[in-house]
Amino acid sequence: MPHHSGRTSWKRFAAVLLPSVLAAAVLGVGMAEGALAASFFISGQRFEIAADTLRGRGVSIYPLVDITRKGTLVPVVVLGFRHADISRLCLSVELPVPGLGPYTLRLTGDSGRQVEAANLFIETTSVTADRSTADDIDIGVAAGSIHKGPIDPGDRNSRFFDPDVFAQQARSVVLTDVRAVSVAASAGTLNIPGLDLRIVQGSHRCF
């Protein structure tokens, strides 16, 4: 298995994600034909995750297909981190309220302290970052062979997880000025100093 260390442009790194998204779309066709079955439902509502810096150790990137309760198939790319330190985290989702207009649910932490997460999984439809530095990265590894980063047990045990599909892994990565549009996120542990969770009138998205 080839190993490449050093710096990589996030634009180039993100471009490599495209085959993963296409593979996820292929999985989606299989689900539509009844060949595969999802083990959980998502709301289908997109939300924004922003951070000044995300430092991850033990990184995995692999495609998946989520499904809503209405049966809509949503191809995603899963970003997995055994451990992550996040500075200036912001999470937001806009919620239309009938008769009152839009409201925004926002979650932030103390800007002076880092958010810490273990076994963090972000299921995203798009990610951008101003810069990415990856160490000991493998591009094109089979998803079932990922060992540097985590695979969600629910994903690995699901029929729609393809162990032979295109995936990536790295020993560590540092992303700056991160912007992600996601449909789901989970963590084994999540420590947010100075948690501030509120709903405010109007559109107040993180980006």
Side-chain angles (χ1 to χ4, degrees):
M1 182 181 298
H3 293 271
H4 307 282
S5 300
R7 298 179 182 275
T8 179
S9 163
W10 176 253
K11 290 182 179 179
R12 186 178 305 165
F13 190 57
V16 180
L17 288 175
L18 181 58
S20 299
V21 176
L22 294 178
V26 171
L27 286 176
V29 172
M31 290 181 62
E33 294 176 347
L36 305 169
S39 59
F40 63 93
F41 296 108
I42 61 170
S43 72
Q45 180 82 40
R46 264 76 169 175
F47 58 91
E48 297 80 31
I49 298 176
D52 280 3
T53 305
L54 189 158
R55 300 176 182 273
R57 299 195 303 273
V59 182
S60 59
I61 302 175
Y62 58 94
L64 203 65
V65 173
D66 286 343
I67 185 169
T68 69
R69 288 185 62 85
K70 294 181 179 180
T72 302
L73 303 176
V74 183
V76 298
V77 173
V78 180
L79 307 181
F81 305 91
R82 293 195 191 282
H83 183 86
D85 295 313
I86 306 168
S87 63
R88 296 186 67 88
L89 172 68
C90 178
L91 184 151
S92 67
V93 58
E94 192 168 303
L95 304 171
V97 179
L100 296 178
Y103 276 73
T104 304
L105 178 67
R106 284 178 60 95
L107 182 154
T108 59
D110 186 336
S111 60
R113 292 184 286 174
Q114 287 192 330
V115 172
E116 297 182 359
N119 290 323
L120 172 66
F121 297 95
I122 303 173
E123 299 179 26
T124 179
T125 57
S126 69
V127 181
T128 63
D130 181 64
R131 185 176 181 83
S132 169
T133 302
D135 291 317
D136 194 16
I137 182 173
D138 300 318
I139 299 173
V141 63
S145 299
I146 288 176
H147 61 278
K148 295 176 182 176
I151 300 290
D152 189 302
D155 296 344
R156 191 184 291 276
N157 295 331
S158 296
R159 292 174 58 195
F160 59 87
F161 178 77
D162 183 351
D164 298 317
V165 77
F166 181 101
Q168 300 176 53
Q169 62 178 352
R171 182 167 56 85
S172 65
V173 66
V174 179
L175 307 177
T176 59
D177 194 17
V178 184
R179 303 288 184 266
V181 178
S182 304
V183 296
S186 62
T189 59
L190 184 62
N191 179 15
I192 306 179
L195 173 67
D196 186 352
L197 177 63
R198 65 180 64 192
I199 186 167
V200 293
Q201 188 173 18
S203 180
H204 299 277
R205 296 182 176 182
C206 296
F207 59 90

